[in-house]
Every structure is written in structure tokens, then in C-alpha cells.
Amino acid sequence: MPRIYQLCIALLLTGLSVAAHAQADERYQIDLVIYANNDPSANSAESWPDNLHLRYPRDWAVLDSNGDGNLSRVSDLHPNFAKALRSLKLSSRYRILLQESWVQDLQPRRKAPAILLRGGAKVGEHHELEGYVRIALERYLYAETDLWLSRFGSQGGNYYLPRQPYRPALDTGDDFIDESFENSPEYAEFQRQNNLANPPLSAPPAGAEPVERIVAMQQQRRMRSDELHYIDHPLFGLLIIISKPQASVGTGDSVGQQ
């Protein structure tokens, strides 16, 4: 075989090896739990705004329960996360709303998808906990939360809850369907309550769930791998650890370590 072809094959194999190694370096496991604070005094700790404008972004994604692609759910938890999760479950002060663990190929913040989440009690078309998280990797690991916790009751307040966007199961395109935004009855009611509707509506839309209160957790945090991180709010909190997939824990350098 001529040397030029041998050189080309060697370069190709080297490129494939580097690409595979780079992809492995960007693959992380995310262990996350979101919990409500059962302490009655937390409800009066602060006054909460009632004119929130909640909206899902267009670059969203959902966790894959089949385990055959990116954002694949996993069952093996990081040992430190598993220990903290047991403590949360044993405490009467907290109530678990959602616990998820998945493996993800992380991207820079401007390309990282918003991962849709929901948990807690289901009321009508909504859950107590809704929103999304965005996990990214640049020089450091980053986590962004845009989550909201709703309290439903007989007396609705000045609140609007967006429905989670979705794509039809048989649709292979990238069409964004968000019935919760401009054409939904909930948003029309939100406009009416804020004097934005023309003409104004005279009554809440049929079938809308009365929402007495919504509190939001909108934060951005820089994180280190293999460390537990808390994102706190008086009424609910989030515990997260980002690590290499459990089958290879300890085989690579920690991102952000100095």
C-alpha cells in the first residue's frame, strides 16, 4: 500500500479517536431532586409577586425513557446524591416533588437545550411543579433553573400558567407547538387581569385551574463536578450533582477543579 494512503488512514483513525474521546469528555450524568418545604412558617416568609409571565423557550427537550439516545434516564445514582436523597425522604420537613437522573452530552450555554420537568400533584392539565433546567459545559459546568411551584385552590389569583410544549409523536420535524401562549384561554385571562385584553373578558375561561399562588426559582449557577449543589427558595429547593457517568466515575478529571 502506498505510504500516502497509509498516512491518510492513520490520520483518519486518529481523528475518529480524538472525536470519540471528546464526546466522552462531554458526557455527564445529572442527578437532580426538587422538594417542597413543609414548614408552615415558610409560607409567610416573604410576599410573592402575582404578575409573573412564565413561558417555555423554543429550544426545549424531554428526557428519553428508552435509554437509547441523549438525555437518557439512568437508575444508578451518584453515591453522595443517593445519601442526600435518603435524608430528604426521611425528613418530615420536606416533600419530594421530582427526582430524575439522566446522562447527557453537554454543550455550551448558548446551545444547551432546556429540559422540561414537572412533578408533584397533578391538577387538571398542570402539576404543582413545572418548568425547565438547562445544564451546560464550557470552562465550568453551569446549571440554569426556571421552575415554578403552584398552589391550586378555589380562589384563583392574578396568575397565568403555560402548558408544556410538545411535538406530535409521529412528527419528525422541529415544529414547536405551544398551546399555552397567545391563543390559549389562560393567557387571555392573564391579559384581562392585567388590562391587556381588547375587548376584556367577563369571566375566567372554562376549565382553567384556579391558581392561588405561584413562586418561581430562576437562577444560574456555576458548578463543580462530583459536588452536591443546592439551589434554595423559601418554599422549595433543588439538589443537583453533575458527574461522569457512574460506570466511569473517577476515570476523568473534574471540570472546574483548580
Side-chain angles (χ1 to χ4, degrees):
M1 179 182 296
R3 293 182 59 85
I4 185 64
Y5 292 114
Q6 292 178 337
L7 179 60
C8 290
I9 292 174
L11 291 174
L12 176 61
L13 293 176
T14 300
L16 292 174
S17 176
V18 170
H21 186 267
Q23 184 176 13
D25 286 345
E26 296 168 358
R27 194 161 183 81
Y28 282 81
Q29 177 168 324
I30 294 91
D31 294 303
L32 175 149
V33 61
I34 304 172
Y35 53 90
N37 186 352
N38 290 331
D39 185 354
S41 64
N43 289 293
S44 56
E46 299 181 26
S47 58
W48 316 109
D50 62 355
N51 58 348
L52 299 173
H53 187 184
L54 306 172
R55 187 179 182 185
Y56 290 99
R58 297 182 64 89
D59 58 340
W60 56 271
V62 295
L63 296 179
D64 176 16
S65 59
N66 297 324
D68 56 0
N70 196 23
L71 299 175
S72 300
R73 285 188 173 97
V74 295
S75 57
D76 292 333
L77 308 181
H78 190 286
N80 293 343
F81 178 83
K83 181 178 179 181
L85 181 61
R86 285 194 297 270
S87 298
L88 280 175
K89 290 180 176 179
L90 291 173
S91 174
S92 60
R93 181 176 177 179
Y94 304 110
R95 176 170 58 92
I96 302 298
L97 299 170
L98 169 76
Q99 188 269 310
E100 291 282 9
S101 294
W102 70 92
V103 173
Q104 179 179 353
D105 295 330
L106 297 186
Q107 302 180 67
R109 283 181 285 181
R110 62 186 178 83
K111 294 183 177 180
I115 303 167
L116 304 187
L117 298 175
R118 59 186 177 186
K122 188 175 187 297
V123 180
E125 297 182 356
H126 292 283
H127 290 71
E128 283 182 275
L129 173 73
E130 295 180 326
Y132 62 91
V133 297
R134 196 187 303 271
I135 312 297
L137 171 64
E138 291 179 346
R139 182 181 175 187
Y140 288 85
L141 293 162
Y142 294 87
E144 172 190 344
T145 66
D146 197 339
L147 300 163
W148 46 90
L149 182 67
S150 302
R151 183 176 69 186
F152 300 92
S154 58
Q155 300 296 322
N158 183 23
Y159 296 107
Y160 155 69
L161 271 180
R163 295 190 185 97
Q164 278 200 351
Y166 70 97
R167 295 185 181 95
L170 299 179
D171 183 11
T172 58
D174 196 36
D175 295 333
F176 179 83
I177 300 177
D178 184 0
E179 296 178 349
S180 65
F181 193 46
E182 295 167 347
N183 298 321
S184 72
E186 290 93 344
Y187 189 66
E189 172 62 8
F190 177 80
Q191 290 181 306
R192 184 193 70 80
Q193 293 172 348
N194 288 275
N195 297 319
L196 300 175
N198 186 21
L201 302 178
S202 59
E209 299 83 11
V211 182
E212 294 184 347
R213 184 188 66 202
I214 302 176
V215 292
M217 180 192 292
Q218 298 170 326
Q219 296 195 33
Q220 296 184 28
R221 293 284 184 88
R222 189 174 74 179
M223 300 189 170
R224 294 174 181 264
S225 61
D226 293 306
E227 289 188 10
L228 284 168
H229 293 267
Y230 293 86
I231 300 179
D232 292 325
H233 184 283
L235 297 181
F236 69 122
L238 179 148
L239 171 62
I240 184 173
I241 186 168
I242 305 174
S243 62
K244 301 305 293 183
Q246 291 307 294
S248 59
V249 166
T251 61
D253 296 332
S254 291
V255 172
Q257 301 293 346
Q258 297 180 344

